Each structure stands twice: as C-alpha cells, then as structure tokens.
Amino acid sequence: MKTFPPADHVLYRLPACAPAPALVHELDHAVMAWAEGPAERDRLSATRAGELIARAYPSLREDRAAPLAGWFAWLFLVDDLHDPDKAADADVASRLLGTLVPEPGPAPDGPPLARHLAHVWQRIACTQSRWWRMRFLTHTMHFLSAFRYEALYRRYRRVPTLREYVQLRRASGSVTACLDLLEFATGREVPPLLHETDQLRGMFTRATDVVVWVNDVVSLEKELHIRESVNGVLVLQRQFGLTPEEAVNRVYGKVAADIHAFHAHERELQRMCSSWPGLTGRDLTALASFTDGMKAWMRANVDWSAHCARYRHRQAAP
C-alpha cells in the first residue's frame, strides 16, 4: 500500500522549503534543550522536530526559535503520552490546561509536562495580543479535550463515523494551535476581524484538514500496530466498504480538493481586501505572511514525514 501521494499530486505544487542543515541542527538542539533526561532526549531525537520547524516556519524570527522549539518538544512528548499504551487521560489534560489559564504565571508544581507547558506559555504569551492568546488557548483546549474522546473510541474498539471523525481530528491533531503559532513565529498578527472572515476561516480549516489527513496515512502502519481506531483511513474503510488502498486514494482525493478550496478562499479574500477601507500595509503584510505560512505547513508536513523515524515508512516520498 502506498504511503505518499503520487508525484503529480497538487500537494507537491505548494512551495517547498529546503532548510539549511545548520538551521535544522540549531533547532534540533533547541528542542532537545527542553528534554528532561535521556529517555525524553531519545524520544525527541526520533521526531526530527528541528526539520519540521524549519520547513513549516520559513520566516521564523531568531528570537522566537527557543519558545517555538519548547512548544514542539512538549507537543511530541504529550502526544506520546497519549498513545493507547500510555497513561494519558482526562485528568492529565485538565491539569495541563490549568497551566495556561486564566493568564500566564509562574510554573506550578506538578507533573513535568505541566511545568514544561507553563514555561513555554510564559515565553510565548508575553509577546502576543490578548485576542491571539484567547484563540491559541481555545485551540490548545480543544487538543487536550480530544484525549478523552479518542480514549473512549479505543476503549470500546469503535471506529468513529466520518462526520464524528472530521470534527474530532481537527482538534486532536493540534494543528490549529500550530497554525496560530505562525503569527508568533513572524511577529505579525492578522487583525482579528480579518481572521474571522469566512474566507480566512475556510483557508485555516482546509489547511488543518490537509495536515491531519496526510498524517493519518503516513502514521497508519504505526497506529495499526498500537491498535488505534481513530484514523481517517480506517474511518473511510469502515464507512464505505473500501480496501486499504482505495481508502488511501480517497484520502488523497480529499486532500487535493481541500487544497483547491484553500486557493479559492485565498482568491476571494484577496478580492475582498482590495476594496476593504482602512486596511494598512502592515495588516496586508501580516495576512500575506499567514497565508504563505499555511501553505508552508501543508507542504512541510509531507516532506518532514518522509524523513521522520516516528512513522517507519515503507515507501519513499516522490
């Protein structure tokens, strides 16, 4: 069964970032600096998180690199904790969320991952507007809350319906918070009203879906091994009576449709902004930067996945 889309897939027409090895090494070092002990260092080393950061945030400011590395170190560690054979549950998620709200403060006593998240959040939150913090906290809350629902699907060995899965996966992938961090990485925030337009929300949702559905394919072998039931390929197989190969093809058809929809929303937003009074050059620069960042994330995910030992591919990417 193939893992990656065919070489002529529209995903490969998105701009690719080929980061300098020195930058990847620096970002890997920054990620590893957040590890507590050899076990965490080994787990983080396998993620190649430095490459993902370099590819997904090509306009990353140097002074924002360390907190961003801390976020990804925490994200991969907590995601590993959430694997079915680990001890993650709703209580863990609740304690982690408690480190973020109502406002950033001193790192609390408690589990290492809670202290880690609090340190990262302090360094990120102090640079961002209250509006951005509210949005990021909401998306992080969705990610942590999804732990409970995914655990229930596993406990009862139930594959979700497609309708259930689409909503749950947007939360459980943590991609929404990672896309928010595009604005932190560049120091350019999109004005709140523009961010809530139908067009930009459509772009944001499509970019999220592209990343999580591609991840479902490239992680399928690993997830079958750990008896994960919450995977888009399995959802499509069950709901439409497909073979694994047919389900993967259906996923990449959806990914192509999502990318085309992203571009259509982008064109609509550009037309609207061309006649929207009051927008400044700074506003438009932030919007263009965010748009380019979402495209970078979609492409970065598939390029990084081809090199990441986390997924144990049989097939090389085109």
Side-chain angles (χ1 to χ4, degrees):
M1 184 178 67
K2 68 181 179 182
T3 299
F4 292 95
D8 62 349
H9 195 278
V10 66
L11 182 58
Y12 292 116
R13 297 178 211 160
L14 294 171
C17 174
L23 174 60
V24 173
H25 177 76
E26 289 175 9
L27 289 169
D28 275 331
H29 182 75
V31 170
M32 301 294 281
W34 290 86
E36 292 194 10
E40 285 194 359
R41 283 194 291 272
D42 288 345
R43 286 157 62 193
L44 289 174
S45 177
T47 68
R48 297 179 67 98
E51 179 184 346
L52 176 60
I53 295 168
R55 288 182 181 276
Y57 301 90
S59 300
L60 174 63
R61 284 174 34 170
E62 185 177 354
D63 62 322
R64 305 289 172 94
L68 194 62
W71 165 260
F72 277 92
W74 175 82
L75 187 61
F76 282 118
L77 292 170
V78 80
D79 189 55
D80 285 344
L81 181 71
H82 181 39
D83 276 349
D85 57 339
K86 303 298 194 303
D89 57 22
D91 290 337
V92 171
S94 178
R95 289 197 297 273
L96 289 170
L97 188 60
T99 70
L100 301 177
V101 291
E103 292 289 343
D109 294 330
L113 281 175
R115 298 196 304 271
H116 180 150
L117 182 58
H119 284 302
V120 171
W121 179 230
Q122 287 176 56
R123 297 181 66 175
I124 290 174
C126 66
T127 68
Q128 303 302 110
S129 69
R130 183 174 295 243
W131 154 252
W132 184 94
R133 297 199 304 268
M134 290 169 58
R135 173 159 44 90
F136 181 80
L137 287 174
T138 297
H139 289 151
T140 303
M141 178 188 69
H142 292 167
F143 167 61
L144 293 172
S145 299
F147 284 7
R148 172 174 176 268
Y149 297 101
E150 289 198 327
L152 289 172
Y153 280 111
R154 285 193 298 271
R155 181 183 305 169
Y156 298 114
R157 296 188 179 277
R158 179 185 161 196
V159 177
T161 66
L162 180 59
R163 180 174 296 180
E164 294 166 350
Y165 182 72
V166 167
Q167 301 302 319
L168 178 61
R169 189 68 175 104
R170 287 173 186 160
S172 68
S174 76
V175 177
T176 50
C178 292
L179 294 180
D180 291 334
L181 287 166
L182 287 163
E183 294 164 278
F184 166 76
T186 61
R188 302 185 185 110
E189 284 191 32
V190 175
L193 187 57
L194 282 185
H195 207 292
E196 290 305 303
T197 58
D198 292 342
Q199 294 82 1
L200 190 54
R201 296 307 303 166
M203 293 163 66
F204 192 90
T205 300
R206 299 285 78 77
T208 299
D209 284 355
V210 166
V211 174
V212 297
W213 281 85
V214 169
N215 182 262
D216 280 354
V217 179
V218 301
S219 64
L220 180 61
E221 185 177 349
K222 170 194 171 186
E223 294 190 344
L224 288 173
H225 179 71
I226 62 175
R227 298 184 180 182
E228 175 63 80
S229 64
V230 188
N231 179 287
V233 179
L234 301 180
V235 169
L236 293 175
Q237 279 187 255
R238 172 66 64 86
Q239 186 148 335
F240 298 104
L242 304 176
T243 66
E245 186 75 23
E246 289 170 338
V248 168
N249 289 337
R250 182 77 67 94
V251 168
Y252 282 127
K254 171 181 167 33
V255 167
D258 282 336
I259 293 172
H260 289 308
F262 178 96
H263 289 311
H265 287 307
E266 179 185 11
R267 291 190 293 271
E268 291 177 14
L269 184 59
Q270 289 172 341
R271 286 194 292 270
M272 185 175 68
C273 288
S274 68
S275 59
W276 188 317
L279 293 180
T280 66
R282 184 175 181 178
D283 294 337
L284 295 174
T285 297
L287 185 58
S289 175
F290 190 57
T291 299
D292 290 344
M294 288 189 284
K295 294 175 184 176
W297 239 111
M298 288 187 279
R299 177 61 190 268
N301 178 56
V302 70
D303 290 339
W304 162 75
S305 296
H307 305 145
C308 181
R310 191 176 179 81
Y311 298 127
R312 305 294 180 192
H313 305 303
R314 294 193 186 101
Q315 173 193 333

